[in-house]
Amino acid sequence: MIKLSIDGREVEVEPGTTVLEAAATLGIDIPHYCYHPDIGVDGNCRICLVEVNGNTDKLAIGCKFPCGEGMEVETESEAVVKARKGVMEFLLINHPLDCTICDQAGECPLQDYSYHYGTGDSRFAEKKRNKPKHVEFSEKVMFDAERCILCTRCTRFFEEVRDCRPIGVENMGGKSTITTGPNGPIQDPYQMNIIDICPVGALTSRDFRFKQRVWFMDFADTVCPGCSKGCNITAGSYQGKLLRFVPRRNTEVNASWMCDDGRLSYDKYNMPERVRGASVSGDPASFDAARAKITELVGDGQGVAVLASTSQTSEELFAVREWARTARVRDLWHGERTWESDDFLKQADATPNTAGAQALGYASVPSQAPELRGLIVVGDVDVPPALLANLDFLIQQAPQAGELGEAAVVLLPGRNALEKNGHWTNGDGAVQEVRAARDPGPDVPEDWTIWRDLAGVSWTSIAEITKAMGAVSTADAEAVTAS
Amino acid sequence: MKASTVISGRFDTKNSQSIETYRKDGGYETWSTVLDEKRDPDSLIDEVKASGLRGRGGAGFSTGMKWSFVPKQTDKPKYLCVNGDESEPGTFKDRQILEFDPHQLLEGVALTCYAVQAHTAYIYLRCEFKLGIATVKAAIKEAYEAGMFGKDIHGSGFDLDVSVTIGAGAYICGEETSLLNSIEGVRPYPRNKPPFPAVEGLFGCPTVINNVETIANIPHIIKNGAEWHTKLGCPEDPGSRLWGISGHVAKPRWVELETGYKLQDLIDGPCGGIRKGHTLKAIIPGGSSSKVLLPDQVARVTMDTPGIRAEGSSLGSAAIIVLDDSVCMVDAVLNLMKFYAHESCGQCTPCREGTPWVVQVLQRIHSGKGRTVDMDLLLDIAHNMEGRTVCALADGACWPLTSIVKKFRHEFEAKIVAAPSATSSKVASA
């Protein structure tokens, strides 16, 4: 271990730790643009300059400078603040300062650091440099060269993370700009990550741009339901309507990335058309009436099976299982849905909680399914047609009824993957917390309450189920909860 | 002032570039002896260290010391890169060696590779050196044919391959780590240091990078011994250098002189004084990236590292740019700063944004729209650039800028006072 002092505070770090990383352990934020923890160090922006051992002639870059034994680092000394103000001034003299119409406004480090190191007045009396402003990097990404501060996070993302070079730096000096060059539009299916890591508004999402100022939006830290990777995301919405997903850093799962398919899937969870309230035989009914009908239909549970979606949270699946136990329904199956996987994040299992369902005893639908009298479909799940033959009754509890809806004797509402709370277990066994990013509106109670009431259990919160589930499910207890 | 012919001895000879001419003077004998005697490679490093040779590229770092940083125990290949990207404004010394006596460079390459145990050398030449490139390539071919390069040279078991890499004409590629990136075929942004190239250089392997003239000195030092070299010129910075004198002297030229001479003597003697009818105004003594000297400094400065440091400047690439009383210093510094703004690679914020800004301010002053605050603004922009970037390009831009603004402030003020907008502290707000 190496001992050093940062701003007069002692800290001990592993050899090889940089000053920026060491400072972070003390809660000292050294400003940075080009450095990104999941891309690595470049050292071009020069905003992270720090003073080492009183050397004010040559300041060190905190993002790269390794900690040394007995080193004395100053992150806010007079020389450091002067240098940072200088760098901020350099970055802003040719920046268009079009924050008023820039999508990055409100989540822009250029704004944030200006607040700390900006002078509030400009010494720049010259004409600003003009560069291309509406460059289509692809059908997903738009580039504004005037806003760009040339930190090269975007080019390095492709080089370091995606092992490709669809964009690069063109020209030299002040004329430098990012370009697709002769490559044509970016094709990479993870390209939208460059929008998030761009520290300014140079790269914007053609899907999200100009839709909403971020400070009016609501955000929920949750998990992408698109596949069994469970990329951590922040879902942004405005007045209950989801407007975007962006990845949330989790080094155990997705680092700072997510696939474009997952990112652009947000709109399907807005669900203008959906099941509201209960119905029996196609007619609106009270939840009490629907429950009474289910109890009557299931009877002794013989010849009845549950087919649940693996987009349901483990808590919801646990509640279903509790009901099934009391109703003596023995066959608990989970649905399957796949899409094309890739060699990075995207998994073939296009649902987020197969592992959680399996840990709770849900099995794949057997290839030789037993003859069924009744089937209970829970959540957004694809039902194998063979199961539907010769059924006496079908019960469905789902956000959207789909083609099954008309056949269901009892139809109950459900919350979709962005409206749930609880946990999902990803394909690697990580149990991750899922938080509702939107409210579905009236007559769509939380799924678990429906099964709780059927089972006659007295849980009053998800947390109680999580606790109860922990006592019966060993698989969950071993996994790490990542956030 | 002692004229010298260590490097330039054959320049005026007919067919000076051929291997026959070189061998007539005992060329490649040192290389053959080193191989035949199986000399300890470290003894060559010690010899060069003891010789006091400083790099001729600009920074003036001890050559032997640089070599000694190359790790002895490593599984990686080691490389030598010869920096022939000579592009510091005012500099035209390496070009003479490349065009007139490439074999002393090549023998130096062989000896250097042997000293650091490198088996591959790249000679990096700027594309504008068409004759130099052709001459060096022909010389390499001759050296291979003469058995000086190749596999198992002289039955010693030592292999050496030497080739020419051609740059695309960017000043930044003369920065040693930028040069490495250029050879590797990636965008030639300078690299952050540490790690230094001696440890992690070309393709991530230990690499020595030396200037053409530095390497050309090596055969002479190994042949004549370190002590011989220490007796050339100034004891603290010994050796014989090629000096390039351009600008307003009667006879602009290159000349080989031992270090330690008086600059005034060079101007008055070999250069024939300042051109007729004019007087000396200033000298930029070490390539455009050095601080300007005033006539009184020129009168007393000795041309060696301690001497020039005492006057606050540097020898750099030994390119002496002489400016007489016809020169407008605002014009001169604007011209220089345009070069740096054009050649900034654009990697680091302060240089990418600072060098063009300086040009804009100078252009405004030059066009009569200067403000009284502009001189201090220029100095402060320079302060925010100097020492704040990956490489020394920004420093190289700041040194002539700050020294000229400080020493010729009156010329800037004269431009500004004459300007109609001088009383306004602001032209427009950004």
Side-chain angles (χ1 to χ4, degrees):
Chain A
M1 297 295 272
I2 289 171
K3 254 192 211 163
L4 68 156
S5 87
I6 301 177
D7 295 347
R9 292 161 65 189
E10 295 283 325
V11 61
E12 250 186 273
V13 295
E14 296 280 345
T17 307
T18 65
V19 168
L20 187 143
E21 291 164 343
T25 67
L26 293 172
I28 299 168
D29 177 36
I30 296 180
H32 53 275
Y33 292 116
C34 66
Y35 166 77
H36 186 285
D38 292 317
I39 305 175
V41 172
D42 194 67
N44 66 58
C45 74
R46 317 307 286 185
I47 191 83
C48 69
L49 292 166
V50 293
E51 185 179 317
V52 177
N53 297 337
N55 183 351
T56 54
D57 289 337
K58 190 85 185 165
L59 300 175
I61 46 171
C63 69
K64 182 133 203 271
F65 204 80
C67 294
E69 183 64 37
M71 218 162 80
E72 288 176 14
V73 177
E74 292 293 332
T75 74
E76 290 285 341
S77 69
E78 198 183 327
V80 168
V81 171
K82 169 91 173 75
R84 280 195 196 143
K85 285 185 170 178
V87 171
M88 277 312 304
E89 182 179 46
F90 286 134
L91 287 173
L92 292 175
I93 53 172
N94 283 297
H95 189 81
L97 300 174
D98 57 348
C99 308
T100 48
I101 53 154
C102 177
D103 275 290
Q104 191 82 1
E107 45 188 12
C108 176
L110 201 60
Q111 286 182 331
D112 297 344
Y113 296 146
S114 286
Y115 210 76
H116 287 287
Y117 302 106
T119 53
D121 193 11
S122 175
R123 300 190 294 175
F124 188 71
E126 326 304 329
K127 187 180 178 307
K128 281 180 192 264
R129 193 169 48 220
N130 288 112
K131 285 186 181 177
K133 283 195 75 70
H134 312 284
V135 186
E136 294 178 8
F137 270 5
S138 71
E139 58 187 4
K140 297 171 183 169
V141 179
M142 202 72 160
F143 175 61
D144 182 331
E146 287 185 352
R147 291 178 186 162
C148 176
I149 59 166
L150 287 156
C151 70
T152 67
R153 277 185 180 184
C154 53
T155 63
R156 289 180 290 128
F157 165 77
F158 286 118
E159 284 165 28
E160 309 285 333
V161 182
R162 298 294 299 151
D163 196 23
C164 61
R165 285 188 178 174
I167 52 174
V169 182
E170 180 179 57
N171 226 317
M172 285 170 64
K175 293 176 185 160
S176 303
T177 185
I178 308 291
T179 178
T180 56
N183 298 336
I186 305 172
Q187 305 285 346
D188 188 80
Y190 287 83
Q191 60 177 281
M192 294 182 82
N193 288 297
I194 63 176
I195 297 160
D196 311 321
I197 58 175
C198 178
V200 296
L203 294 167
T204 48
S205 162
R206 297 184 73 182
D207 178 71
F208 176 72
R209 68 202 304 250
F210 307 135
K211 275 193 185 160
Q212 193 47 263
R213 310 281 11 198
V214 288
W215 52 84
F216 293 131
M217 288 169 61
D218 297 312
F219 296 99
D221 287 347
T222 186
V223 174
C224 177
C227 83
S228 62
K229 190 72 193 178
C231 293
N232 292 206
I233 61 166
T234 299
S237 61
Y238 177 67
Q239 293 185 344
K241 191 181 178 198
L242 291 165
L243 293 179
R244 72 172 190 193
F245 290 167
V246 292
R248 187 162 50 91
R249 186 163 192 251
N250 183 338
T251 53
E252 304 288 315
V253 179
N254 56 309
S256 298
W257 324 121
M258 72 185 299
C259 71
D260 294 351
D261 288 342
R263 181 191 299 262
L264 293 171
S265 70
Y266 66 89
D267 194 39
K268 72 179 177 195
Y269 303 101
N270 283 323
M271 278 189 192
E273 301 293 325
R274 66 186 305 148
V275 179
R276 291 191 187 279
S279 60
V280 175
S281 305
D283 299 320
S286 70
F287 279 88
D288 283 343
R291 275 196 295 273
K293 186 70 181 171
I294 292 172
T295 307
E296 177 202 320
L297 289 168
V298 172
D300 63 359
Q302 292 296 307
V304 177
V306 169
L307 176 64
S309 162
T310 44
S311 296
Q312 299 294 97
T313 63
S314 293
E315 283 80 357
E316 291 166 342
L317 293 169
F318 184 78
V320 172
R321 195 179 82 173
E322 272 304 286
W323 165 78
R325 190 171 56 80
T326 59
R328 284 164 293 168
V329 170
R330 287 192 299 114
D331 287 321
L332 296 177
W333 299 329
H334 65 77
E336 283 170 24
R337 187 175 290 168
T338 58
W339 64 358
E340 202 178 331
S341 64
D342 62 26
D343 58 0
F344 187 29
L345 295 174
K346 213 171 154 187
Q347 306 296 306
D349 178 357
T351 64
N353 197 28
T354 305
Q358 288 172 345
L360 287 165
Y362 288 78
S364 297
V365 178
S367 51
Q368 290 285 310
E371 196 152 308
L372 291 178
R373 183 167 60 85
L375 181 67
I376 296 151
V377 173
V378 178
D380 173 24
V381 62
D382 301 324
V383 183
L387 289 185
L388 297 169
N390 307 317
L391 281 183
D392 287 350
F393 66 90
L394 179 72
I395 296 166
Q396 189 183 18
Q397 183 258 307
Q400 288 176 316
E403 290 174 2
L404 290 180
E406 286 181 13
V409 181
V410 179
L411 182 61
L412 291 161
R415 296 200 167 192
N416 72 38
L418 267 291
E419 296 160 351
K420 296 176 184 302
N421 290 291
H423 293 84
W424 286 332
T425 305
N426 80 358
D428 299 318
V431 178
Q432 309 198 86
E433 191 173 356
V434 178
R435 299 178 190 90
R438 71 184 299 271
D439 186 333
D443 298 324
V444 186
E446 292 188 77
D447 298 31
W448 63 275
T449 59
I450 293 172
W451 300 99
R452 170 198 64 186
D453 295 348
L454 270 167
V457 196
S458 60
W459 301 317
T460 55
S461 71
I462 289 257
E464 272 183 58
I465 309 183
T466 312
K467 207 173 157 195
M469 197 170 63
V472 293
S473 169
T474 51
D476 295 358
E478 289 168 8
V480 284
T481 301
S483 61
Chain B
M1 187 171 59
K2 210 167 164 194
S4 171
T5 54
V6 176
I7 302 294
S8 61
R10 267 176 305 278
F11 284 8
D12 289 334
T13 315
K14 200 183 173 201
N15 283 331
S16 65
Q17 80 286 359
S18 78
I19 196 165
E20 285 81 26
T21 312
Y22 187 58
R23 294 189 91 164
K24 238 179 260 169
D25 284 352
Y28 287 114
E29 276 174 18
T30 311
W31 174 223
S32 303
T33 310
V34 163
L35 286 173
D36 296 344
E37 290 178 359
K38 298 196 186 310
R39 272 189 70 174
D40 176 13
D42 283 352
S43 73
L44 269 64
I45 299 180
D46 293 341
E47 196 82 55
V48 173
K49 234 191 233 177
S51 77
L53 177 69
R54 288 173 189 263
R56 302 299 196 227
F61 191 76
S62 159
T63 305
M65 195 73 89
K66 202 174 196 179
W67 293 3
S68 68
F69 295 150
V70 175
K72 303 271 181 267
Q73 304 297 329
T74 173
D75 299 335
K76 294 177 176 176
K78 300 171 192 172
Y79 296 107
L80 168 67
C81 294
V82 180
N83 189 343
D85 191 53
E86 189 170 63
S87 30
E88 177 73 12
T91 314
F92 48 93
K93 62 183 186 63
D94 294 339
R95 181 176 181 173
Q96 317 305 325
I97 297 168
L98 298 169
E99 292 180 0
F100 293 110
D101 199 350
H103 280 288
Q104 66 173 335
L105 169 67
L106 295 185
E107 187 170 11
V109 166
L111 293 165
T112 306
C113 284
Y114 186 87
V116 299
Q117 291 291 293
H119 300 288
T120 311
Y122 296 90
I123 301 177
Y124 188 93
L125 302 176
R126 57 181 297 179
C127 63
E128 295 89 339
F129 281 174
K130 293 227 183 308
L131 178 59
I133 291 166
T135 310
V136 172
K137 278 185 171 175
I140 291 173
K141 192 162 171 276
E142 286 179 321
Y144 267 102
E145 285 165 2
M148 295 302 156
F149 298 161
K151 300 276 174 233
D152 190 21
I153 306 166
H154 275 227
S156 64
F158 189 81
D159 302 336
L160 177 61
D161 280 308
V162 182
S163 60
V164 169
T165 301
I166 301 168
Y171 174 62
I172 195 64
C173 290
E175 198 281 341
E176 58 180 18
T177 55
S178 182
L179 182 148
L180 297 179
N181 282 339
S182 177
I183 294 176
E184 289 185 16
V186 300
R187 189 176 169 85
Y189 279 156
R191 300 177 185 174
N192 278 294
K193 283 141 276 193
F196 288 93
V199 179
E200 206 179 307
L202 190 64
F203 304 112
C205 301
T207 304
V208 168
I209 306 158
N210 282 136
N211 170 261
V212 165
E213 188 189 351
T214 312
I215 297 290
N217 268 289
I218 302 302
H220 305 287
I221 290 170
I222 301 300
K223 184 180 176 183
N224 300 315
E227 207 188 325
W228 161 81
H229 189 262
T230 58
K231 288 178 179 153
L232 301 174
C234 165
E236 291 89 359
D237 178 15
S240 177
R241 295 190 71 159
L242 292 180
W243 310 83
I245 306 96
S246 60
H248 299 145
V249 287
K251 285 187 276 183
R253 61 179 294 180
W254 65 264
V255 59
E256 183 171 358
L257 295 172
E258 289 179 15
T259 55
Y261 67 87
K262 289 186 81 173
L263 181 54
Q264 189 70 58
D265 294 346
L266 170 64
I267 303 300
D268 295 342
C271 295
I274 303 302
R275 63 179 179 157
K276 213 170 173 194
H278 291 277
T279 54
L280 177 67
K281 185 175 217 171
I283 287 183
I284 303 175
S288 65
S289 302
S290 55
K291 292 188 178 175
V292 69
L293 299 178
L294 294 174
D296 61 316
Q297 294 178 292
V298 171
R300 62 176 177 253
V301 69
T302 56
M303 292 301 270
D304 49 66
T305 300
I308 199 109
R309 275 195 192 146
E311 297 300 333
S313 191
S314 52
L315 282 190
S317 57
I320 298 162
I321 303 168
V322 182
L323 308 175
D324 73 13
D325 55 8
S326 70
V327 175
C328 161
M329 293 308 282
V330 178
D331 200 9
V333 76
L334 170 60
N335 187 44
L336 284 178
M337 291 306 118
K338 277 182 182 170
F339 172 81
Y340 291 100
H342 184 265
E343 295 296 340
S344 167
C345 76
Q347 179 177 212
C348 304
T349 306
C351 179
R352 180 183 70 236
E353 303 295 337
T355 52
W357 186 9
V358 165
V359 169
Q360 284 176 303
V361 173
L362 288 170
Q363 267 170 336
R364 192 161 44 69
I365 296 173
H366 193 254
S367 66
K369 291 178 184 152
R371 308 166 300 174
T372 46
V373 294
D374 283 334
M375 278 91 72
D376 289 338
L377 176 62
L378 286 170
L379 293 176
D380 197 54
I381 296 172
H383 183 273
N384 287 342
M385 284 160 65
E386 191 181 335
R388 305 288 181 251
T389 50
V390 170
C391 82
L393 191 146
D395 301 352
C398 292
W399 292 331
L401 173 67
T402 54
S403 63
I404 288 175
V405 171
K406 282 177 188 164
K407 289 176 176 170
F408 293 91
R409 201 175 174 107
H410 54 281
E411 291 201 18
F412 288 76
E413 282 167 348
K415 283 252 179 213
I416 289 164
V417 170
S421 59
T423 47
S424 154
S425 70
K426 276 204 152 186
V427 168
S429 201

